[in-house]
Amino acid sequence: MSTVSATRRTTTGNTPPRRPPSLAPLLAHVVIWAGAAGVLALWWTGTASVVGPAGWLTGAGRITGLLAGYACAVLVALMARVPLLDHTLGTDRLARWHAAGGRYTVSLVLAHLLLITWGYTLTTRSGVLHEATTLVLDYPDMLKATAGFLLLVGTGAVSARFARRRMSYETWHYLHFATYLAIFLAFGHQLSNGADFVGRRPAQLAWYAMYALVAALIVGYRFVAPVRRARRHRLRVTEVRPEAPGVVSVHLTGERLDELGARPGQFFRWRFLAPGLWWTANPYSLSAPPLPHHLRITVKEAGGHSAALARLRPGTRVWAEGPYGAFTEARQRSSKVLLLAGGVGITPLRALFETLPGEVTLVYRARRPGDLALRTELDAIAAARGAAVHYVVDEPAVYSAPLTARALSRLVPDLAAHEVYLCGPPGMTTAARRALRGAGIPRRHIHHESFEF
């Protein structure tokens, strides 16, 4: 077998529409920072004067506390799976903002705790330990807030990269639910003790409204919507087909699937109602364009959940949350597109390879020839649309090719004029980004959506 091959004919397909750059990320930043400015205005209007070190420390503690409370609401809203946010910003961007915001939030909470305790200590002229004990035991709702603080710090610790790599996705996902409990426990002390809320009914109502809105988004999109869609669409497994060593395709059928509004490149969170699988929902991309009565995912064995999919029986009921992601045709702004896949990262790109307009080239990298999943389909698509497809494997070494700007330029003429859709394991995508930037492709023309949450 030739491990690096290509087919090129006259490209078919419509020219993609010219789209202006998306303003959604900028608008989202403006809204978030405007909210933070409103929180600072709450402190400013409620503070007559700041005098002496104790006043400055206490004031700083109030500010960090307000910002931490606001940040908690923003963090939860980012991951509420609101379709408008998810389809315009992209799931991976929301996840990155959530992770970065989590670090800032924990830092703000720690700063609030230290600054308030220090400021009160200077005011009462007592010891730090005595003042901390008084705050926790004598102030309203502070015992619950302390428990919430410990939960929030613990959740932050298990979300750190070094810790997350040592646990399964399912374990990390369910431990992350402790964030909801932490925020619930800490909420009361903000209104009962916060100088910016005591006696200020409009401020209290605004705070209640903000948290009520976020709670409604969580309940609506993460709990009610999946149940409603499961009842309406009645998804079930029809076939499980091996595609490569450790890789299977799961075929599903259902009712009125076109109403889901799924697009090539998107993914769902799948909950299979089978023993050992019903309790968790994992993200897998569609590996073929969605049809009114048929969906397909292609999954590589990478853990207990994905390995169990190979044993699914026809007729197994399925709940699908989604569709999610902005890794779609909507990002395309050039008539020349490179799809760069690594391993099972071929799944969303296979669907895009069939549907993207313009001149499309696919480069598919795998460890061995036998690991090239869906190759027969890819060759048929390439022949039907007159596109180019290149297969690159690491073994045997005589056929391997480095993931560099020079190597990619040899495979793809006029590489710098291409837009790129990139999907693969983290190491491969990091090297690919470096190579693509070295080849002169602007960062905004490299589209990548990670599922490493």
Side-chain angles (χ1 to χ4, degrees):
M1 177 188 127
S2 174
T3 56
V4 181
S5 60
T7 300
R8 171 73 73 184
R9 298 191 308 181
T10 303
T11 302
T12 62
N14 298 324
T15 301
R18 300 182 67 86
R19 301 184 179 95
S22 174
L23 296 177
L26 176 61
L27 292 175
H29 275 292
V30 169
V31 171
I32 291 171
W33 285 108
V39 168
L40 292 176
L42 180 64
W43 171 82
W44 181 268
T45 58
T47 304
S49 62
V50 180
V51 179
W56 283 106
L57 288 169
T58 303
R62 287 168 55 193
I63 290 173
T64 52
L66 285 169
L67 289 174
Y70 170 70
C72 284
V74 172
L75 282 182
V76 176
L78 288 176
M79 299 308 289
R81 301 177 185 170
V82 179
L84 177 63
L85 294 179
D86 194 276
H87 296 168
T88 55
L89 298 174
T91 304
D92 61 332
R93 179 184 277 123
L94 291 173
R96 289 197 303 271
W97 288 4
H98 175 82
R103 292 188 289 270
Y104 288 126
T105 301
V106 172
S107 299
L108 286 168
V109 170
L110 288 170
H112 167 67
L113 174 66
L114 295 173
L115 290 167
I116 283 290
T117 304
W118 192 2
Y120 282 16
T121 298
L122 292 181
T123 299
T124 61
R125 301 181 186 279
S126 60
V128 173
L129 182 59
H130 175 270
E131 189 60 39
T133 304
T134 300
L135 283 170
V136 172
L137 298 180
D138 295 347
Y139 280 65
D141 296 314
M142 281 303 298
L143 277 174
K144 291 192 298 183
T146 302
F149 164 73
L150 295 175
L151 276 175
L152 188 64
V153 171
T155 304
V158 301
S159 297
R161 189 178 298 274
F162 73 90
R164 197 165 69 243
R165 287 175 176 172
R166 288 166 171 77
M167 66 180 70
S168 67
Y169 171 84
E170 295 85 359
T171 301
W172 171 83
H173 177 73
Y174 281 100
L175 286 175
H176 218 63
F177 278 126
T179 304
Y180 297 148
L181 179 58
I183 294 173
F184 174 78
L185 291 171
F187 178 77
H189 94 285
Q190 300 175 79
L191 300 179
S192 58
N193 298 314
D196 302 290
F197 295 106
V198 175
R200 303 178 68 185
R201 193 62 176 168
Q204 293 175 2
L205 292 176
W207 211 250
Y208 273 118
M210 178 177 69
Y211 273 82
L213 173 61
V214 172
L217 293 176
I218 287 291
V219 172
Y221 288 113
R222 299 199 67 164
F223 297 98
V224 175
V227 173
R228 186 177 68 247
R229 288 184 174 182
R231 293 172 60 87
R232 180 166 180 78
H233 299 294
R234 307 182 67 83
L235 274 168
R236 61 187 182 275
V237 175
T238 57
E239 181 186 7
V240 178
R241 181 182 302 169
E243 300 288 1
V247 179
V248 297
S249 285
V250 181
H251 295 255
L252 307 108
T253 189
E255 301 173 4
R256 298 180 290 270
L257 300 184
D258 53 323
E259 294 179 6
L260 292 170
R263 292 179 290 175
Q266 291 187 311
F267 70 97
F268 288 78
R269 287 181 171 87
W270 305 89
R271 188 183 303 274
F272 296 90
L273 305 188
L277 294 176
W278 64 267
W279 59 280
T280 186
N282 280 26
Y284 300 118
S285 295
L286 297 174
S287 61
L291 299 174
H293 298 284
H294 180 263
L295 300 175
R296 187 185 74 177
I297 59 174
T298 301
V299 181
K300 180 178 176 63
E301 180 180 339
H305 187 279
S306 54
L309 299 190
R311 300 188 295 272
L312 286 173
R313 296 182 177 180
T316 300
R317 294 295 302 274
V318 184
W319 287 16
E321 302 175 35
Y324 298 119
F327 194 63
T328 66
E329 179 187 334
R331 290 189 173 183
Q332 184 183 0
R333 293 177 177 83
S334 172
S335 61
K336 293 184 177 182
V337 178
L338 167 63
L339 306 178
L340 182 53
V344 77
I346 189 61
T347 53
L349 298 186
R350 181 264 179 247
L352 289 170
F353 189 38
E354 182 176 344
T355 58
L356 282 180
E359 181 182 325
V360 182
T361 301
L362 171 65
V363 175
Y364 182 11
R365 302 179 63 91
R367 184 176 299 277
R368 292 175 294 270
D371 295 330
L372 294 167
L374 308 174
R375 183 175 183 182
T376 301
E377 295 182 20
L378 297 172
D379 289 338
I381 294 169
R385 66 176 299 163
V389 57
H390 302 270
Y391 302 104
V392 182
V393 297
D394 296 329
E395 300 172 7
V398 67
Y399 293 116
S400 65
L403 188 49
T404 62
R406 178 176 296 180
L408 285 175
S409 296
R410 285 200 297 265
L411 288 175
V412 185
D414 195 20
L415 177 60
H418 285 68
E419 263 189 304
V420 181
Y421 285 75
L422 170 64
C423 191
M428 176 265 181
T429 56
T430 299
R433 282 179 175 275
R434 189 182 306 116
L436 294 167
R437 296 287 290 122
I441 298 179
R443 186 176 289 106
R444 66 181 182 279
H445 290 170
I446 303 173
H447 310 305
H448 170 239
E449 193 157 80
S450 172
F451 302 97
E452 295 290 318
F453 300 143

